[in-house]
Amino acid sequence: MIPLSDHDMLAQRNHDEESRQSFVNDFRIHLASNVFPGNFPTYYNRVLPNFIKEKGREPETRHEVRKVMTHDPYYSFWSAMQRNSQEMIWDSVIDSVERQLPELIEKSRKAGDKGSLTLDPDLETPKYHVAADIHLQPGAYHSDQIEDDVAAGAMYDWGTYIYSMGGLGTGNNALGQITNGFFKNEYPDKKPLRILDMGCTIGGSITYWAQQHPDTECYAIDVGAPVLRYGHARAEALGAAVHFSQQNAEHTDFEDESFDIVMSHILLHETSRTAIQNVFDESYRLLKPGGIMMHMDLPQAHGQQPLEGFLFEWEIYNNNEHFFAQLRDMDMAELCRKAGFKDENIHPKSAGSFWMDDQTPYADDGFEFPITIGIK
Amino acid sequence: MSKDDQKKIKLPRTAKGKKPQYFNDPTVDKLLSMVLTLMGELSVTRDRLDTVERLVEKNGLFKIDDIEHYEIPDDVNQIRSERRSAYIARVLKSVQDELDALEQKGDGKNTELAD
Ligand SMILES: C[S@@+](CC[C@H](N)C(=O)[O-])C[C@H]1O[C@@H](n2cnc3c(N)ncnc32)[C@H](O)[C@@H]1O
């Protein structure tokens, strides 16, 4: 495993911790490239013929496929291993974070002041975050175990890098590279003065934007305090000015029409049916006339074959990504319309690794995300 | 909170949320987790040994602390990664076997021989 580029807040791994993380990384690569593809012959040679024998037709939806595939011994063994590999990610990063926590907290307290950090201890953690730990990170984004905790952020930095098998790039900022590349290509003449990233976690994306646009005022919000403390210290360590604050993206305290861009990177699928509309409404309120909303998230169900659609939804049922089940079928344009965007200003687009500006080896993987654009 | 208490902080290690059961007998779920953990730990041990061997060769003699500060050169990183992949494939052979059998023609019984 190629390590993340070092920065002052990154938890340092000892010999065995590095090796354990490399194992999980390589194990997941093996599952993805050698075991997962076996689900296709399993389906076509075993599950599908049985289904046809019984029903006289092929499955029509991904839900029908789920009913029969879930019990197939090959699929369930892959699925169980994939679930274990996800648990192993966190297990492999906790030790080094736990060991260095006092130093990391101390460093975050002394973080620079190019940007800023504003916390709100009274902010309620949304219900859709407290019932289950999303993608199995113990304690999730929001739990403080100790005063001024940064553990959730420190774990997220290494954990998501291993999750992506390096796909997020050694700067852990591929998503920001993608939206930035997309923006530069789509709107080459726009010079945003003030931008907001919603659901920023450790600010991987917005910090990259701040580095690319040093004259732009960059704001980032999240509901989780430990990830924000870490994110702020990380941005300062990287020499970037980002203003972090603990706020719910459904209702923020920013003024009307105060941003040129309001964006998010894979935030939406971790919200709820009510919250997602609120996020779009709030985006509209915050945009200046002519301002651009860009919400990038995971692929939806339309256009996918039943088997493909079913396999795509593994994370919903096995990785605590519960709201993604509903987002898969939601009408994004309708959310925009209800928020106030005019039909002619709503653009469903696609953004992918082809927009990454440093052509890292990861860019070849060609991952693509839908991005919902609304211009006020 | 004193400085000592702060040093002893224990982070949570189990994610909240219902864990799916993958096999008819939940014991199998636990056994699989154990096997995969063992697999990982053996890999860690092998990496550590690899470091020891390389250091012995390099220095003739070494301090234990050298191990913690061993920096992995790119080529060694590559070698380790390839060996890990081969090792993973070996431990997961039963999974590959099932897949291979699915793709093989016939009913898997040597009737010709038995006849
Ligand atoms: C998958 S992470 C986003 C990753 C991040 N945007 C990046 O580019 O690296 C989702 C984040 O959204 C945050 N979040 C979820 N609901 C939110 C809300 N209503 N308001 C603000 N943040 C929210 C979570 O706390 C979590 O940190």
Side-chain angles (χ1 to χ4, degrees):
Chain A
M1 164 180 159
I2 303 164
L4 275 173
S5 307
D6 202 13
H7 58 74
D8 203 40
M9 282 301 290
L10 198 63
Q12 301 299 311
R13 300 141 336 136
N14 67 23
H15 184 278
D16 291 3
E17 287 158 359
E18 183 287 322
S19 171
R20 200 169 284 119
Q21 291 180 15
S22 283
F23 172 79
V24 178
N25 181 74
D26 291 0
F27 179 43
R28 286 173 62 82
I29 290 173
H30 181 90
L31 288 178
S33 39
N34 300 71
V35 185
F36 174 79
N39 286 315
F40 291 89
T42 298
Y43 179 74
Y44 289 111
N45 299 351
R46 182 159 69 199
V47 176
L48 183 60
N50 283 341
F51 188 97
I52 293 174
K53 214 191 279 168
E54 203 178 299
K55 302 241 161 107
R57 59 170 179 89
E58 294 197 6
E60 276 152 19
T61 65
R62 59 192 198 274
H63 307 296
E64 274 196 323
V65 174
R66 174 171 322 110
K67 287 209 180 91
V68 282
M69 270 299 262
T70 310
H71 303 294
D72 181 83
Y74 185 89
Y75 172 80
S76 52
F77 206 81
W78 163 75
S79 177
M81 287 198 288
Q82 187 69 21
R83 162 80 187 206
N84 272 278
S85 81
Q86 181 73 23
E87 292 175 4
M88 288 162 89
I89 292 175
W90 301 115
D91 194 59
S92 76
V93 302
I94 291 178
D95 289 340
S96 55
V97 173
E98 192 175 78
R99 184 160 46 74
Q100 289 160 74
L101 194 53
E103 294 99 281
L104 292 174
I105 290 174
E106 210 39 52
K107 277 192 215 169
S108 78
R109 285 180 178 138
K110 294 191 190 120
D113 57 4
K114 286 187 86 159
S116 63
L117 173 69
T118 311
L119 298 178
D120 175 5
D122 296 328
L123 184 77
E124 204 182 316
T125 304
K127 282 203 190 62
Y128 43 88
H129 277 243
V130 291
D133 290 345
I134 292 175
H135 45 64
L136 309 187
Q137 174 171 345
Y141 303 107
H142 54 270
S143 308
D144 278 336
Q145 310 298 333
I146 184 174
E147 206 184 331
D148 295 343
D149 198 359
V150 296
M155 281 167 62
Y156 190 87
D157 210 348
W158 277 116
T160 49
Y161 182 68
I162 301 167
Y163 168 84
S164 72
M165 298 169 283
L168 286 169
T170 54
N172 224 358
N173 58 14
L175 301 178
Q177 285 194 52
I178 290 169
T179 50
N180 183 56
F182 170 86
F183 176 79
K184 278 198 316 205
N185 180 71
E186 201 84 10
Y187 310 103
D189 302 327
K190 296 258 186 205
K191 297 268 171 292
L193 298 176
R194 203 161 177 265
I195 66 176
L196 173 65
D197 186 25
M198 295 174 152
C200 62
T201 321
I202 61 167
S205 306
I206 189 71
T207 302
Y208 179 79
W209 272 76
Q211 288 168 326
Q212 302 303 307
H213 306 264
D215 297 328
T216 302
E217 260 185 81
C218 297
Y219 290 80
I221 59 171
D222 202 283
V223 287
V227 292
L228 287 167
R229 290 189 196 99
Y230 181 89
H232 171 243
R234 176 183 179 274
E236 295 291 337
L238 295 171
V242 179
H243 300 286
F244 291 88
S245 58
Q246 187 177 14
Q247 299 199 53
N248 188 326
E250 297 176 58
H251 305 284
T252 69
D253 65 9
F254 298 112
E255 280 174 30
D256 290 359
E257 309 197 339
S258 54
F259 289 100
D260 300 288
I261 298 176
V262 173
M263 62 181 167
S264 72
H265 306 78
I266 61 172
L267 154 74
L268 302 179
H269 76 282
E270 297 186 1
T271 60
S272 76
R273 201 167 263 282
T274 326
I276 195 171
Q277 183 67 58
N278 290 342
V279 168
F280 276 66
D281 293 354
E282 184 66 0
S283 307
Y284 187 83
R285 181 182 78 78
L286 295 176
L287 284 177
K288 297 177 191 170
I292 302 166
M293 173 182 81
M294 312 197 289
H295 290 303
M296 184 168 88
D297 218 285
L298 303 173
Q300 292 190 281
H302 49 79
Q304 291 184 339
Q305 294 301 307
L307 174 65
E308 186 193 0
F310 157 71
L311 291 171
F312 208 83
E313 296 189 345
W314 183 87
E315 309 247 346
I316 296 172
Y317 303 97
N318 299 277
N319 205 11
N320 287 350
E321 297 276 13
H322 299 133
F323 176 59
F324 188 39
Q326 296 186 45
L327 182 67
R328 292 272 289 158
D329 291 315
M330 283 178 88
D331 181 349
M332 307 304 277
E334 184 59 17
L335 295 173
C336 296
R337 252 177 253 121
K338 281 196 180 146
F341 293 96
K342 295 212 179 68
D343 264 320
E344 62 270 29
N345 295 332
I346 301 169
H347 311 290
K349 297 265 182 179
S350 188
S353 50
F354 37 83
W355 291 131
M356 289 170 73
D357 65 356
D358 70 337
Q359 282 301 315
T360 60
Y362 315 111
D364 298 339
D365 294 351
F367 47 83
E368 242 179 273
F369 303 89
I371 181 163
T372 306
I373 305 293
I375 301 176
K376 187 161 172 180
Chain B
M1 196 174 275
S2 81
K3 241 198 141 87
D4 266 5
D5 287 344
Q6 200 184 48
K7 283 230 165 69
K8 272 186 243 132
I9 177 80
K10 281 264 168 252
L11 295 173
R13 298 210 171 219
T14 307
K16 248 171 109 176
K18 192 169 176 294
K19 182 170 175 153
Q21 183 181 318
Y22 294 91
F23 305 102
N24 293 335
D25 180 351
T27 311
V28 178
D29 286 78
K30 288 201 207 84
L31 281 173
L32 176 65
S33 298
M34 287 171 64
V35 169
L36 295 177
T37 304
L38 270 172
M39 199 169 146
E41 291 312 298
L42 186 56
S43 170
V44 170
T45 309
R46 187 67 184 79
D47 280 351
R48 192 164 181 105
L49 186 58
D50 183 72
T51 303
V52 172
E53 288 166 355
R54 285 172 199 280
L55 284 169
V56 168
E57 188 174 270
K58 199 166 151 223
N59 299 343
L61 207 69
F62 61 82
K63 303 189 277 319
I64 297 294
D65 201 41
D66 288 346
I67 293 176
E68 293 308 338
H69 297 110
Y70 179 68
E71 298 245 0
I72 306 171
D74 289 350
D75 57 340
V76 177
N77 206 350
Q78 183 61 26
I79 292 167
R80 286 190 182 184
S81 183
E82 282 165 16
R83 201 185 43 226
R84 244 180 252 124
S85 301
Y87 164 69
I88 292 165
R90 180 175 304 112
V91 180
L92 295 187
K93 186 161 174 303
S94 60
V95 183
Q96 188 61 43
D97 286 348
E98 185 187 354
L99 199 56
D100 290 347
L102 254 179
E103 280 162 345
Q104 283 159 2
K105 298 270 172 294
D107 62 3
K109 286 189 207 121
N110 277 327
T111 35
E112 300 88 342
L113 291 181
D115 288 343

